[in-house]
Amino acid sequence: MTKDSPIAFKGTTLKIIHTLLSTADPAALHGALAELTGNSPDFFENELAVLDFSGAPALPEAVDWLAICALFRRSGLNAVATRGLPAAVAAAAAACGLPALAADALARPPRGAARAAEMTPGATPETPPATPCQAPPAAAQPAAAPVPAPARATVLDKPLRSGQRFYAQGGDLVVLAMVSAGAEVIADGNIHVYAPLRGRALAGAGGDPAARIFTTSLQAELVSIAGIYRTFEHGVPSDLAGRPAKIALADGGLSILPLALS
Amino acid sequence: MTRIITVTSGKGGVGKTTTSASFATGLAQRGFKTAVIDFDVGLRNLDLIMGCERRVVYDLINVINGEATLTQALIKDKHCDNLWVLPASQTRDKDALKEEGVEKVLAELTHQGFDYIVCDSPAGIEHGAVMALTFADEAVVVTNPEVSSVRDSDRILGILQAKSRRSIEGREPVKEHLLITRYNPGRVEAGEMLSYKDIQEILRVPIIGVVPESEDVLQASNQGAPVIHQKESDAALAYQDIIARFLGEEKPLRFVDYVKPGILKRLFGGK
């Protein structure tokens, strides 16, 4: 309980890829994965995964877990746990370093908002929402308990290139360099882009209708607030294109207005 | 100190190998000990452009697998001192390019006192391309003046930012250069091609040079001598300028303005 303990426990929320599998046959998974990802090593960017077999028919007891892990790792996906396995199989997986998750550990967020929104809003915390949790080890709460993150802005100062995506969870996102066509910025709060916004911007990804988007040069492919989106098939209207703009929800629709910079 | 320069683009057919060959030759002509490595395992081309295809015995994969020494595999360029070519394997699969193996080969080249190592990346954004850029100190991104090429270059710049050792280890980021090839000022003037200014506005990477579209490039490829050797060719002059800028010299861009071919111009030459 001393202050300078070499260990500090903190609760946190991790983004994890919920991977639903209907077989544990490495060869079959290999084929299916190759088809989905084209064997691209960066399809996932070193992300974490739960392997969910709850929809799978009866599995053999001898599963080559190491091969399955290696398979996903080649696409940049790191399996950390299993779910929905019969006890005997789950024990074998646990022996290979894949512990079983409790059945209720994956709270499903309502679909339909923005895709990257992996937050679990209001997911029945067993802990009362307390001050940022510097929990002493004695308080052995399950690590999955969501801790409300402080609403702080994330600042990006490098260009976001085509194919890149950035998600500012629980707060605002400030981007000081351009967002290229084909790139995507997402925030639960507001998005500010002090450079050309050429890609997609999704503010209020957690469902906040008061979120807004600001940019000094609107050239976006898509803008969205709390799931209400607009594309610009024929380009941004000429009175706004390349100009400073602010985007907000008004009367259920998106309002895109010029932004006066003095 | 050895610098590793990766020539990359995302899109295929934009002039990566042509650029790698001329860039490496240009550095060697300036007296730097230079190696140029073909990372396009399975589709090797660099040896053809360099005119050494009949001298290939061992290749990069042989060295990575320990089947040959680096010295055995390096081919001395016949046109130019200070230049060596490390060809790709035509018969192997690109998965044979292992990160530790590539790192070992680059370390050995460094140990042998090379000033510059030019890595000719394969097209695409998959394993081979990632291996070619992982260890880069500088990147030359080759782009053609058309939208899909520019988009792919943007993509590869993002991957460079995410996958290079320099980024992963939080060191000074890879120095990026934009090199535009197949530039045709007449078609830019006619609105059929993006201008170099447009491209720079989209990518926001400093331009190291613009190489004009030129028949000499194809001819040079077929002859197996990098185009930079053809002294009177515009493309060669553009590559010479690129080397000069890379080495820190100030050179205004050439071959980017449309010159109307008038009768007097034709008679008296004049630039």
Side-chain angles (χ1 to χ4, degrees):
Chain A
M1 294 292 256
T2 53
K3 274 257 180 232
D4 356 294
S5 159
I7 303 177
F9 290 98
K10 293 188 179 184
T12 184
T13 314
L14 278 178
K15 184 177 159 194
I16 207 156
I17 309 282
H18 188 185
T19 311
L20 300 148
L21 303 176
S22 58
T23 172
D25 173 19
L29 291 175
H30 180 83
L33 189 64
E35 208 166 284
L36 285 172
T37 67
N39 271 336
S40 167
D42 67 338
F43 193 83
F44 297 100
E45 302 211 320
N46 225 355
E47 287 167 299
L48 305 177
V50 171
L51 307 182
D52 188 344
F53 291 91
S54 43
L59 293 166
E61 223 167 278
V63 172
D64 191 347
W65 292 107
L66 296 178
I68 292 177
C69 288
L71 177 71
F72 283 110
R73 211 176 302 120
R74 277 199 291 277
S75 290
L77 194 59
N78 300 291
V80 293
T82 63
R83 182 171 181 256
L85 285 173
V89 189
C96 294
L98 289 173
L101 279 192
D104 61 352
L106 289 178
R108 267 194 146 302
R111 288 244 26 111
R115 311 170 252 181
E118 299 287 1
M119 276 232 307
T120 47
T124 55
E126 288 165 38
T127 39
T131 44
C133 172
Q134 179 96 35
Q141 245 95 35
V147 175
R152 203 194 312 155
T154 309
V155 180
L156 266 188
D157 56 2
K158 288 207 189 101
L160 209 68
R161 303 278 182 185
S162 180
Q164 292 183 312
R165 190 161 68 169
F166 191 88
Y167 173 34
Q169 190 174 1
D172 288 3
L173 175 61
V174 178
V175 191
L176 300 176
M178 67 167 179
V179 177
S180 284
E184 195 169 77
V185 283
I186 308 162
D188 288 332
N190 305 306
I191 295 177
H192 307 251
V193 182
Y194 297 105
L197 168 58
R198 297 181 175 132
R200 318 165 112 209
L202 299 92
D208 178 6
R212 295 206 241 171
I213 299 170
F214 306 90
T215 174
T216 51
S217 177
L218 181 65
Q219 305 170 36
E221 294 170 324
L222 178 150
V223 291
S224 160
I225 288 173
I228 311 287
Y229 68 89
R230 172 161 172 196
T231 55
F232 299 96
E233 197 184 339
H234 302 291
V236 176
S238 57
D239 55 326
L240 292 161
R243 298 239 162 81
K246 55 183 176 187
I247 300 157
L249 267 189
D251 308 324
L254 283 179
S255 106
I256 305 177
L257 293 171
L259 174 65
L261 298 176
S262 49
Chain B
M1 211 184 72
T2 311
R3 294 288 283 177
I4 300 173
I5 303 148
T6 296
V7 178
T8 186
S9 71
K11 195 170 166 64
V14 297
K16 280 183 298 296
T17 302
T18 297
T19 295
S20 299
S22 283
F23 199 89
T25 300
L27 288 170
Q29 285 174 338
R30 294 286 193 113
F32 296 104
K33 189 176 177 187
T34 305
V36 54
I37 307 179
D38 191 349
F39 273 80
D40 205 348
V41 175
L43 291 169
R44 78 171 210 232
N45 279 166
L46 179 69
D47 51 326
L48 289 170
I49 308 268
M50 299 293 295
C52 64
E53 72 277 11
R54 291 178 186 282
R55 289 192 287 149
V56 174
V57 181
Y58 297 111
D59 57 54
L60 175 62
I61 301 298
N62 291 135
V63 181
I64 286 178
N65 290 346
E67 296 150 1
T69 65
L70 184 58
T71 317
Q72 285 174 315
L74 282 174
I75 302 172
K76 173 84 182 61
D77 183 58
K78 64 184 171 197
H79 306 288
C80 173
D81 287 336
N82 302 319
L83 181 59
W84 281 263
V85 181
L86 183 52
S89 172
Q90 181 73 325
T91 50
R92 306 297 182 90
D93 188 77
K94 60 182 185 298
D95 292 335
L97 266 180
K98 303 220 173 54
E99 187 164 326
E100 312 80 63
V102 173
E103 188 169 18
K104 198 185 76 184
V105 169
L106 294 173
E108 204 172 329
L109 286 167
T110 306
H111 183 71
Q112 291 191 7
F114 278 91
D115 297 303
Y116 291 106
I117 303 170
V118 177
C119 301
D120 180 23
S121 169
I125 55 171
E126 285 164 26
H127 183 70
V130 172
M131 280 303 106
L133 61 76
T134 299
F135 300 97
D137 296 309
E138 310 203 23
V140 174
V141 177
V142 182
T143 304
N144 285 171
E146 47 109 9
V147 285
S148 62
S149 172
V150 174
R151 168 73 63 94
D152 290 358
S153 294
D154 194 48
R155 181 90 169 90
I156 204 82
L157 282 160
I159 291 171
L160 197 63
Q161 212 181 73
K163 297 276 167 85
S164 65
R165 276 285 172 94
R166 281 179 169 265
S167 309
I168 291 169
E169 291 171 0
R171 288 184 284 148
E172 191 187 326
V174 176
K175 191 170 176 191
E176 298 160 349
H177 307 277
L178 177 61
L179 194 156
I180 300 168
T181 58
R182 300 216 165 134
Y183 198 74
N184 185 329
R187 297 188 65 188
V188 172
E189 183 89 0
E192 298 165 5
M193 256 188 193
L194 293 171
S195 75
Y196 72 92
K197 287 177 185 152
D198 293 338
I199 300 172
Q200 193 178 21
E201 168 55 26
I202 297 171
L203 294 176
R204 303 206 164 184
V205 170
I207 291 189
I208 194 169
V210 178
V211 180
E213 195 163 38
S214 162
E215 288 170 12
D216 302 330
V217 173
L218 180 63
Q219 204 191 342
S221 301
N222 290 336
Q223 285 171 357
V227 70
I228 197 169
H229 286 300
Q230 302 199 8
K231 295 279 180 261
E232 68 297 336
S233 151
D234 285 356
L237 295 172
Y239 277 116
Q240 303 278 11
D241 286 359
I242 286 166
I243 296 298
R245 288 187 202 105
F246 181 78
L247 297 172
E249 297 166 29
E250 289 279 338
K251 288 269 179 188
L253 284 179
R254 287 198 268 180
F255 317 115
V256 291
D257 296 318
Y258 180 54
V259 188
K260 232 182 187 165
I263 183 84
L264 287 175
K265 278 246 161 65
R266 264 190 228 161
L267 283 175
F268 299 110
K271 279 246 150 97

